[in-house]
Amino acid sequence: MASQRTAVVTGASSGIGAATATELAAQGFHVVLGARRTERIEELAREIGGTAHRLDVTDPESVERFCAAFGPVDVLVNNAGGAHGSAPVAQAVEDDWRWMWETNVLGTMRVTKALLPRLVESGDGHVVTVTSVAALEAYSNGSGYTSAKHAESALHRTLRFEHNGEPVRFTEVLPGMVETEFSLVRFAGDSERAAKVYEGMTPLQAKDIAEVIGFAVTRPPHVNMDTIVVKARDQLTATQAYRHS
Ligand code: NAP
């Protein structure tokens, strides 16, 4: 019997990461969950038969400790990330920019760099990076996030060039509006403002993205799904959605 494959999911304590961990466990993977809120990942790991380890992708030592805590890896899902604030460039808040670049861009670089040798060694490695439609578009009051997601996307797509010919696949998933803790984090815990983002339209749920990731990583080894944009039917662009009420 083939040994169980291992999938590492960053930012597995909520939203898309938690749903992806659940989906990949259901697909038969042993899932290693990483995030800062350890109680949450420990509880989910118990539920799905996975392993939880604290991870702060903005801290090189934490990434090193996390990656030393397990052995072979077949799939890495770079999901940890998010947005802070919605200031125009003219009023840019440097700490918010730093948070977004550290988490989405440098965090993805750090974890990917640490695990790439093991992913290649597995003979059929796969890196999935969750960027955003904000990696495709620019819009008012979103520059810290759109610039970070554009950079994360460029980093991810570069890997496809640098490892072409090696046994490792690269899939970028670009979600539109997904109802998670994303907007709560962006608006510093203001739940009323966060709820308004999805008012009158039907957003995606975390499970919708998790299922797409589950599909991409279970294709045969010669199939590389490069770029997958997933939006709610109601959503047209990063900033335009049909509001039914
Ligand atoms: P979420 O519910 O807020 O989840 C974000 C996850 O990232 C949490 O598990 C959080 O865990 C983790 N995280 C944040 N900072 C971290 C750090 N320094 N180290 C390790 N983990 C960290 O939001 P989500 O919507 O599921 O977001 C997941 C990904 O999808 C993000 O990259 C986001 O940019 C992207 N995305 C979301 C949407 C959307 O509309 N929701 C759309 C497009 C793309 P801890 O706080 O426990 O560390």
Side-chain angles (χ1 to χ4, degrees):
M1 202 181 86
S3 62
Q4 193 179 21
R5 303 183 80 216
T6 296
V8 174
V9 180
T10 71
S13 59
S14 71
I16 295 168
T20 301
T22 306
E23 175 68 24
L24 296 185
Q27 302 263 12
F29 285 91
H30 177 80
V31 182
V32 178
L33 300 89
R36 295 165 304 174
R37 288 171 292 179
T38 46
E39 323 79 62
R40 284 195 185 201
I41 50 172
E42 278 162 9
E43 192 184 331
L44 183 53
R46 270 194 297 276
E47 270 172 41
I48 64 172
T51 320
H53 299 289
R54 188 180 191 281
L55 169 67
D56 180 350
V57 297
T58 69
D59 174 2
E61 282 175 19
S62 172
V63 172
E64 200 180 316
R65 267 195 305 276
F66 174 78
C67 294
F70 49 87
V73 182
D74 301 282
V75 172
L76 164 64
V77 182
N78 284 312
N79 165 76
H84 264 199
S86 54
V89 177
Q91 276 94 48
V93 178
E94 278 202 28
D95 279 346
D96 285 346
W97 272 66
R98 209 167 279 118
W99 186 92
M100 290 186 269
W101 276 73
E102 269 290 344
T103 311
N104 296 285
V105 189
L106 293 170
T108 291
M109 177 276 289
R110 283 187 191 106
V111 180
T112 306
K113 184 180 168 190
L115 296 181
L116 258 176
R118 280 182 253 174
L119 287 156
V120 173
E121 214 169 280
S122 76
D124 179 23
H126 202 144
V127 179
V128 177
T129 302
V130 181
T131 63
S132 169
V133 291
L136 298 173
E137 297 178 46
Y139 52 85
S140 295
N141 309 326
S143 58
Y145 185 58
T146 54
S147 63
K149 285 301 193 188
H150 274 71
E152 186 185 18
S153 171
L155 145 71
H156 172 91
R157 284 180 283 122
T158 302
L159 291 162
R160 182 94 166 92
F161 286 89
E162 291 175 347
H163 295 275
N164 189 220
E166 295 176 39
V168 58
R169 293 182 271 169
F170 296 96
T171 299
E172 179 182 3
V173 178
L174 303 88
M177 294 154 94
V178 191
E179 195 172 21
T180 63
E181 292 175 21
F182 176 85
S183 295
L184 203 61
V185 173
R186 177 170 224 169
F187 301 127
D190 184 340
S191 50
E192 231 169 89
R193 200 170 166 201
K196 274 209 171 342
V197 172
Y198 313 110
E199 216 167 58
M201 55 89 64
T202 306
L204 297 169
Q205 297 300 316
K207 194 175 190 303
D208 299 322
I209 303 301
E211 285 173 354
V212 169
I213 294 172
F215 181 77
V217 303
T218 51
R219 293 313 85 209
H222 68 285
V223 179
N224 194 96
M225 301 191 73
D226 282 37
T227 310
I228 310 174
V229 181
V230 191
K231 290 181 197 161
R233 187 180 60 191
D234 287 334
Q235 185 178 11
L236 263 188
T237 69
T239 53
Q240 289 172 284
Y242 190 89
R243 308 284 171 174
H244 295 267
S245 54

